[in-house]
PDB file of all heavy atoms in Angstrom:
ATOM      1  N   PHE A1050      53.761  81.114  93.684  1.00 97.00           N
ATOM      2  CA  PHE A1050      53.894  79.669  93.496  1.00 97.00           C
ATOM      3  C   PHE A1050      53.260  79.172  92.218  1.00 97.00           C
ATOM      4  O   PHE A1050      53.213  77.946  91.993  1.00 97.00           O
ATOM      5  CB  PHE A1050      53.302  78.933  94.748  1.00 97.00           C
ATOM      6  CG  PHE A1050      54.077  79.109  95.988  1.00 97.00           C
ATOM      7  CD1 PHE A1050      53.747  79.988  96.897  1.00 97.00           C
ATOM      8  CD2 PHE A1050      55.193  78.292  96.145  1.00 97.00           C
ATOM      9  CE1 PHE A1050      54.467  80.176  98.125  1.00 97.00           C
ATOM     10  CE2 PHE A1050      56.011  78.454  97.358  1.00 97.00           C
ATOM     11  CZ  PHE A1050      55.614  79.301  98.302  1.00 97.00           C
ATOM     12  N   GLY A1051      52.710  80.014  91.375  1.00 97.00           N
ATOM     13  CA  GLY A1051      52.073  79.612  90.148  1.00 97.00           C
ATOM     14  C   GLY A1051      50.816  78.868  90.347  1.00 97.00           C
ATOM     15  O   GLY A1051      50.509  77.888  89.595  1.00 97.00           O
ATOM     16  N   LEU A1052      50.039  79.201  91.355  1.00 97.00           N
ATOM     17  CA  LEU A1052      48.800  78.603  91.674  1.00 97.00           C
ATOM     18  C   LEU A1052      47.622  79.500  91.469  1.00 97.00           C
ATOM     19  O   LEU A1052      47.801  80.743  91.388  1.00 97.00           O
ATOM     20  CB  LEU A1052      48.767  78.230  93.182  1.00 97.00           C
ATOM     21  CG  LEU A1052      49.841  77.212  93.672  1.00 97.00           C
ATOM     22  CD1 LEU A1052      49.828  77.230  95.173  1.00 97.00           C
ATOM     23  CD2 LEU A1052      49.585  75.875  93.074  1.00 97.00           C
ATOM     24  N   ALA A1053      46.466  78.925  91.373  1.00 97.00           N
ATOM     25  CA  ALA A1053      45.188  79.747  91.349  1.00 97.00           C
ATOM     26  C   ALA A1053      44.868  79.998  92.796  1.00 97.00           C
ATOM     27  O   ALA A1053      45.108  79.174  93.648  1.00 97.00           O
ATOM     28  CB  ALA A1053      44.085  78.954  90.604  1.00 97.00           C
ATOM     29  N   THR A1054      44.192  81.164  93.011  1.00 97.00           N
ATOM     30  CA  THR A1054      43.830  81.493  94.370  1.00 97.00           C
ATOM     31  C   THR A1054      42.893  80.500  94.978  1.00 97.00           C
ATOM     32  O   THR A1054      42.894  80.242  96.142  1.00 97.00           O
ATOM     33  CB  THR A1054      43.216  82.881  94.450  1.00 97.00           C
ATOM     34  OG1 THR A1054      42.129  82.935  93.549  1.00 97.00           O
ATOM     35  CG2 THR A1054      44.270  83.983  94.112  1.00 97.00           C
ATOM     36  N   HIS A1055      41.995  79.872  94.109  1.00 98.00           N
ATOM     37  CA  HIS A1055      41.007  78.878  94.672  1.00 98.00           C
ATOM     38  C   HIS A1055      41.759  77.647  95.250  1.00 98.00           C
ATOM     39  O   HIS A1055      41.235  76.985  96.130  1.00 98.00           O
ATOM     40  CB  HIS A1055      39.975  78.504  93.625  1.00 98.00           C
ATOM     41  CG  HIS A1055      40.546  77.633  92.488  1.00 98.00           C
ATOM     42  ND1 HIS A1055      40.599  76.261  92.637  1.00 98.00           N
ATOM     43  CD2 HIS A1055      40.988  77.985  91.246  1.00 98.00           C
ATOM     44  CE1 HIS A1055      41.085  75.794  91.484  1.00 98.00           C
ATOM     45  NE2 HIS A1055      41.365  76.809  90.664  1.00 98.00           N
ATOM     46  N   VAL A1056      42.929  77.353  94.768  1.00 98.00           N
ATOM     47  CA  VAL A1056      43.714  76.242  95.309  1.00 98.00           C
ATOM     48  C   VAL A1056      44.134  76.606  96.765  1.00 98.00           C
ATOM     49  O   VAL A1056      43.935  75.688  97.696  1.00 98.00           O
ATOM     50  CB  VAL A1056      44.999  75.906  94.452  1.00 98.00           C
ATOM     51  CG1 VAL A1056      45.923  74.984  95.159  1.00 98.00           C
ATOM     52  CG2 VAL A1056      44.607  75.559  93.047  1.00 98.00           C
ATOM     53  N   LEU A1057      44.568  77.793  97.029  1.00 98.00           N
ATOM     54  CA  LEU A1057      44.919  78.181  98.367  1.00 98.00           C
ATOM     55  C   LEU A1057      43.678  78.175  99.285  1.00 98.00           C
ATOM     56  O   LEU A1057      43.823  77.775 100.490  1.00 98.00           O
ATOM     57  CB  LEU A1057      45.592  79.559  98.412  1.00 98.00           C
ATOM     58  CG  LEU A1057      46.919  79.536  97.604  1.00 98.00           C
ATOM     59  CD1 LEU A1057      47.391  80.994  97.553  1.00 98.00           C
ATOM     60  CD2 LEU A1057      48.023  78.696  98.358  1.00 98.00           C
ATOM     61  N   ARG A1058      42.584  78.610  98.746  1.00 98.00           N
ATOM     62  CA  ARG A1058      41.355  78.585  99.565  1.00 98.00           C
ATOM     63  C   ARG A1058      40.902  77.161  99.857  1.00 98.00           C
ATOM     64  O   ARG A1058      40.508  76.857 101.009  1.00 98.00           O
ATOM     65  CB  ARG A1058      40.211  79.305  98.819  1.00 98.00           C
ATOM     66  CG  ARG A1058      40.353  80.812  98.812  1.00 98.00           C
ATOM     67  CD  ARG A1058      39.088  81.440  98.128  1.00 98.00           C
ATOM     68  NE  ARG A1058      39.490  82.800  97.765  1.00 98.00           N
ATOM     69  CZ  ARG A1058      39.770  83.174  96.479  1.00 98.00           C
ATOM     70  NH1 ARG A1058      39.831  82.300  95.499  1.00 98.00           N
ATOM     71  NH2 ARG A1058      40.066  84.386  96.216  1.00 98.00           N
ATOM     72  N   HIS A1059      41.101  76.307  98.922  1.00 97.00           N
ATOM     73  CA  HIS A1059      40.732  74.875  99.076  1.00 97.00           C
ATOM     74  C   HIS A1059      41.619  74.264 100.233  1.00 97.00           C
ATOM     75  O   HIS A1059      41.210  73.552 101.037  1.00 97.00           O
ATOM     76  CB  HIS A1059      40.901  74.091  97.822  1.00 97.00           C
ATOM     77  CG  HIS A1059      40.634  72.612  97.951  1.00 97.00           C
ATOM     78  ND1 HIS A1059      39.435  72.072  98.272  1.00 97.00           N
ATOM     79  CD2 HIS A1059      41.492  71.559  97.792  1.00 97.00           C
ATOM     80  CE1 HIS A1059      39.527  70.738  98.337  1.00 97.00           C
ATOM     81  NE2 HIS A1059      40.744  70.423  97.998  1.00 97.00           N
ATOM     82  N   TRP A1060      42.953  74.542 100.085  1.00 97.00           N
ATOM     83  CA  TRP A1060      43.872  74.006 101.089  1.00 97.00           C
ATOM     84  C   TRP A1060      43.497  74.545 102.461  1.00 97.00           C
ATOM     85  O   TRP A1060      43.617  73.811 103.459  1.00 97.00           O
ATOM     86  CB  TRP A1060      45.308  74.360 100.748  1.00 97.00           C
ATOM     87  CG  TRP A1060      45.848  73.673  99.517  1.00 97.00           C
ATOM     88  CD1 TRP A1060      45.196  72.691  98.765  1.00 97.00           C
ATOM     89  CD2 TRP A1060      47.052  73.832  98.839  1.00 97.00           C
ATOM     90  NE1 TRP A1060      45.969  72.283  97.717  1.00 97.00           N
ATOM     91  CE2 TRP A1060      47.102  72.940  97.747  1.00 97.00           C
ATOM     92  CE3 TRP A1060      48.176  74.707  99.093  1.00 97.00           C
ATOM     93  CZ2 TRP A1060      48.229  72.907  96.877  1.00 97.00           C
ATOM     94  CZ3 TRP A1060      49.251  74.685  98.192  1.00 97.00           C
ATOM     95  CH2 TRP A1060      49.267  73.749  97.140  1.00 97.00           C
ATOM     96  N   GLU A1061      43.049  75.794 102.525  1.00 97.00           N
ATOM     97  CA  GLU A1061      42.639  76.329 103.800  1.00 97.00           C
ATOM     98  C   GLU A1061      41.458  75.617 104.331  1.00 97.00           C
ATOM     99  O   GLU A1061      41.358  75.180 105.509  1.00 97.00           O
ATOM    100  CB  GLU A1061      42.349  77.819 103.705  1.00 97.00           C
ATOM    101  CG  GLU A1061      41.963  78.493 104.992  1.00 97.00           C
ATOM    102  CD  GLU A1061      41.647  79.954 104.845  1.00 97.00           C
ATOM    103  OE1 GLU A1061      41.869  80.553 103.797  1.00 97.00           O
ATOM    104  OE2 GLU A1061      41.211  80.521 105.848  1.00 97.00           O
ATOM    105  N   ALA A1062      40.466  75.390 103.474  1.00 96.00           N
ATOM    106  CA  ALA A1062      39.301  74.620 103.839  1.00 96.00           C
ATOM    107  C   ALA A1062      39.549  73.282 104.365  1.00 96.00           C
ATOM    108  O   ALA A1062      38.873  72.728 105.239  1.00 96.00           O
ATOM    109  CB  ALA A1062      38.244  74.604 102.720  1.00 96.00           C
ATOM    110  N   MET A1063      40.615  72.675 103.818  1.00 95.00           N
ATOM    111  CA  MET A1063      41.047  71.325 104.242  1.00 95.00           C
ATOM    112  C   MET A1063      41.828  71.328 105.575  1.00 95.00           C
ATOM    113  O   MET A1063      42.183  70.237 106.089  1.00 95.00           O
ATOM    114  CB  MET A1063      41.888  70.651 103.127  1.00 95.00           C
ATOM    115  CG  MET A1063      41.158  70.264 101.926  1.00 95.00           C
ATOM    116  SD  MET A1063      42.240  69.219 100.837  1.00 95.00           S
ATOM    117  CE  MET A1063      42.354  67.782 101.747  1.00 95.00           C
ATOM    118  N   GLY A1064      42.177  72.531 106.012  1.00 94.00           N
ATOM    119  CA  GLY A1064      43.015  72.570 107.224  1.00 94.00           C
ATOM    120  C   GLY A1064      44.480  72.543 106.964  1.00 94.00           C
ATOM    121  O   GLY A1064      45.211  72.384 107.951  1.00 94.00           O
ATOM    122  N   LEU A1065      44.913  72.679 105.727  1.00 95.00           N
ATOM    123  CA  LEU A1065      46.322  72.622 105.390  1.00 95.00           C
ATOM    124  C   LEU A1065      46.946  73.976 105.606  1.00 95.00           C
ATOM    125  O   LEU A1065      48.192  74.061 105.836  1.00 95.00           O
ATOM    126  CB  LEU A1065      46.567  72.159 103.981  1.00 95.00           C
ATOM    127  CG  LEU A1065      46.199  70.693 103.745  1.00 95.00           C
ATOM    128  CD1 LEU A1065      46.222  70.466 102.200  1.00 95.00           C
ATOM    129  CD2 LEU A1065      47.166  69.745 104.403  1.00 95.00           C
ATOM    130  N   LEU A1066      46.316  75.077 105.534  1.00 96.00           N
ATOM    131  CA  LEU A1066      46.752  76.415 105.691  1.00 96.00           C
ATOM    132  C   LEU A1066      45.903  77.162 106.667  1.00 96.00           C
ATOM    133  O   LEU A1066      44.636  76.903 106.651  1.00 96.00           O
ATOM    134  CB  LEU A1066      46.761  77.169 104.348  1.00 96.00           C
ATOM    135  CG  LEU A1066      47.706  76.664 103.228  1.00 96.00           C
ATOM    136  CD1 LEU A1066      47.470  77.392 101.910  1.00 96.00           C
ATOM    137  CD2 LEU A1066      49.156  76.805 103.671  1.00 96.00           C
ATOM    138  N   THR A1067      46.462  78.102 107.428  1.00 95.00           N
ATOM    139  CA  THR A1067      45.742  78.882 108.353  1.00 95.00           C
ATOM    140  C   THR A1067      46.239  80.333 108.316  1.00 95.00           C
ATOM    141  O   THR A1067      46.880  80.826 109.247  1.00 95.00           O
ATOM    142  CB  THR A1067      45.834  78.323 109.795  1.00 95.00           C
ATOM    143  OG1 THR A1067      47.169  78.212 110.134  1.00 95.00           O
ATOM    144  CG2 THR A1067      45.059  77.032 109.915  1.00 95.00           C
ATOM    145  N   PRO A1068      45.991  81.019 107.168  1.00 96.00           N
ATOM    146  CA  PRO A1068      46.505  82.436 107.092  1.00 96.00           C
ATOM    147  C   PRO A1068      45.768  83.197 108.068  1.00 96.00           C
ATOM    148  O   PRO A1068      44.563  82.952 108.446  1.00 96.00           O
ATOM    149  CB  PRO A1068      46.165  82.782 105.652  1.00 96.00           C
ATOM    150  CG  PRO A1068      45.089  81.956 105.278  1.00 96.00           C
ATOM    151  CD  PRO A1068      45.280  80.624 105.999  1.00 96.00           C
ATOM    152  N   VAL A1069      46.377  84.371 108.545  1.00 96.00           N
ATOM    153  CA  VAL A1069      45.715  85.270 109.481  1.00 96.00           C
ATOM    154  C   VAL A1069      44.777  86.131 108.620  1.00 96.00           C
ATOM    155  O   VAL A1069      44.899  86.162 107.369  1.00 96.00           O
ATOM    156  CB  VAL A1069      46.723  86.149 110.229  1.00 96.00           C
ATOM    157  CG1 VAL A1069      47.588  85.282 111.239  1.00 96.00           C
ATOM    158  CG2 VAL A1069      47.603  86.938 109.338  1.00 96.00           C
ATOM    159  N   ARG A1070      43.919  86.843 109.233  1.00 95.00           N
ATOM    160  CA  ARG A1070      42.976  87.771 108.541  1.00 95.00           C
ATOM    161  C   ARG A1070      43.279  89.153 108.988  1.00 95.00           C
ATOM    162  O   ARG A1070      43.562  89.382 110.169  1.00 95.00           O
ATOM    163  CB  ARG A1070      41.507  87.403 108.830  1.00 95.00           C
ATOM    164  CG  ARG A1070      41.054  85.978 108.508  1.00 95.00           C
ATOM    165  CD  ARG A1070      40.933  85.848 106.955  1.00 95.00           C
ATOM    166  NE  ARG A1070      40.492  84.525 106.648  1.00 95.00           N
ATOM    167  CZ  ARG A1070      39.688  84.217 105.673  1.00 95.00           C
ATOM    168  NH1 ARG A1070      39.062  85.171 105.042  1.00 95.00           N
ATOM    169  NH2 ARG A1070      39.371  82.949 105.423  1.00 95.00           N
ATOM    170  N   ASP A1071      43.242  90.081 108.123  1.00 94.00           N
ATOM    171  CA  ASP A1071      43.386  91.475 108.499  1.00 94.00           C
ATOM    172  C   ASP A1071      42.092  92.099 108.993  1.00 94.00           C
ATOM    173  O   ASP A1071      41.050  91.343 109.052  1.00 94.00           O
ATOM    174  CB  ASP A1071      44.036  92.301 107.299  1.00 94.00           C
ATOM    175  CG  ASP A1071      43.166  92.385 106.066  1.00 94.00           C
ATOM    176  OD1 ASP A1071      41.889  92.130 106.154  1.00 94.00           O
ATOM    177  OD2 ASP A1071      43.621  92.823 105.066  1.00 94.00           O
ATOM    178  N   ALA A1072      42.081  93.347 109.271  1.00 94.00           N
ATOM    179  CA  ALA A1072      40.861  93.960 109.819  1.00 94.00           C
ATOM    180  C   ALA A1072      39.672  93.852 108.890  1.00 94.00           C
ATOM    181  O   ALA A1072      38.503  93.863 109.349  1.00 94.00           O
ATOM    182  CB  ALA A1072      41.193  95.435 110.151  1.00 94.00           C
ATOM    183  N   ALA A1073      39.932  93.823 107.584  1.00 95.00           N
ATOM    184  CA  ALA A1073      38.918  93.668 106.629  1.00 95.00           C
ATOM    185  C   ALA A1073      38.514  92.209 106.257  1.00 95.00           C
ATOM    186  O   ALA A1073      37.647  91.967 105.412  1.00 95.00           O
ATOM    187  CB  ALA A1073      39.263  94.407 105.328  1.00 95.00           C
TER     188      ALA A1073
END
């Protein structure tokens, strides 16, 4: 999407995204 990874982390912190987590 041409984004910085911190943008996705910020969106997650805001509750806009909820990616799953792997075993690690």
